[in-house]
Amino acid sequence: MKGLRRCAAVLLCMALCLAGAWSATMDARVNAVPKSLMDKVFVEPEETLPSVVANLTNGVSGTASRVKVLHDWICNNIAYDTVIFTDKWQEAQDQSYATVLKKKKAVCAGYTNLMCKMCRLAGIEAVGIEGWSKGFAYRGNVDGPTNHAWNAINMGGGRWQLVDVTWDAGFCDWGYFVKHYSTEWLYRTPREFLYSHLPEEDEYQYYKPLVTKEQFVKEPYVPGIFFEKGFSIVKDKSPLYTNVISESCKYEISCTNSNMMLRTQYHPKDNYKNGMSDCLKYVTWIERNGSRVIVDTDVPDKELYRISIIGRDPAMPKRSVFYSVSEMETDFLPVAEKLLAEKKITERELLLFKESFFKAEEQGRYYFLEDLFATERNRAVEKVFKLMDNPADYYDTLLYFDIKASEEYEGFGTDTFRFPILYDPFIQSRRTTKIISPQGGAVKRGEEVHFAVDSKEYRAFAVYLTDGNVKLFEKNAKTGMFELDFTVPDDMEYLEVMGSLDGRVLNGLWEYRVNSVSDHVL
């Protein structure tokens, strides 16, 4: 096994792809280490680390519990060394556990070395692994030198499980490290890890049959949270990492978590910020049938596109870990000041809210300063957001893959809306509510359209009119579907369909783009 000093490439996934949200529970023992030990371990690590490990693990039974508290302590105390984003990257070359503790910073090799050392001090067998990962620097091949490092832990009985402390500590957003604890990469099985991590040496796969380099490159990137949330890959039906299509196509994954609300994000792979026109937001469609999740997709032209399947569990709400400067300074901070003036919060709560975010000018963002043990501050932040009526509705990235047209296929066209624009209430009820017609994303002015919806949950549906009134659907006694024949007015740009769960209050569910008669409509 080679040393891990040369692993200096940043492999934390960038915020625009996989940023986490406020989540997970850190072991309370992390915050209970005596201050005298904490002060000393970052100055004299060789002498002090054994005492820190003993303090963390004494009285903790079971390998899994002891490893978690060590994992949590590292995540809470070691930041990613973003010096590698500058021309001073060689300063990060020494990744010994002692140097990492003295600097309180590391790259993947340093996190891995420290985890190995602390496990061994706790009497746990652990190894460091070098290999390739599908992180930020991944370009669809493993032809070059290894670019990442992680750990394997001997759980006993010949069973090994894998841990990536680097990715659980946080993420880098264009050179800024965002502390964000998770357990996404703690105790993933060997096969789950092999969708995103490929060891250089086959023995560290801990899996048979071995996954070859060719297979690793071919398979999609699948993060740990995909498995945490009850998803699984469907052999021969799930997407590859890069998919070449000659017509619209469908991919399938499996999900046993009925709570998950699923969406897709779709953008040109190399132009995330500037390349998303309106029509590209509605290129894909997700259909759920029991545990089956079917993704219908296509490409508008010859560009290479990236599709991300994102999900939110309403039973476990999360907040974003960053907000734009304009959002914070135009919306949140003025509203927080108003809440103080209205005596809905105290001056202390307002101060705690403001101190909880760091403004990064270069990134154009305010980042939440994570401290899982700052109970008073975290409660104040949550109180302010709730009074603002700001929902905790963060979507996690569950899987992504690339897609492009074959040589003979030109795509469906860039001016076409393939599917309707969906609102969260519909996404949450899509297991029980199906749009029968029209299924395309646009209707035409002056055209008579037949609407049909099948729903076991909603009691009424209506089209919202420009004068503020609504046109109600009628329930077909034979089919049980809600139906409406409606002529699209000439003054509409979008046509919104609303639904009511109680038969009284209507809420928006989805909408269609309204085109002129000459426009192409699917």
Side-chain angles (χ1 to χ4, degrees), residues 144-169:
T146 59
N147 57 17
H148 197 39
W150 59 96
N151 295 100
I153 310 294
N154 187 347
M155 306 300 293
R159 185 169 62 95
W160 291 77
Q161 285 190 290
L162 300 161
V163 178
D164 190 332
V165 189
T166 312
W167 285 9
D168 274 348

Side-chain angles (χ1 to χ4, degrees), residues 20-22 317-321 323 381-382 385-386 390-394:
W22 308 2
K318 297 181 181 181
R319 282 192 191 282
S320 176
V321 292
Y323 299 94
V381 172
E382 196 57 38
F385 272 130
K386 284 184 177 179
N390 181 274
D393 57 0
Y394 181 84

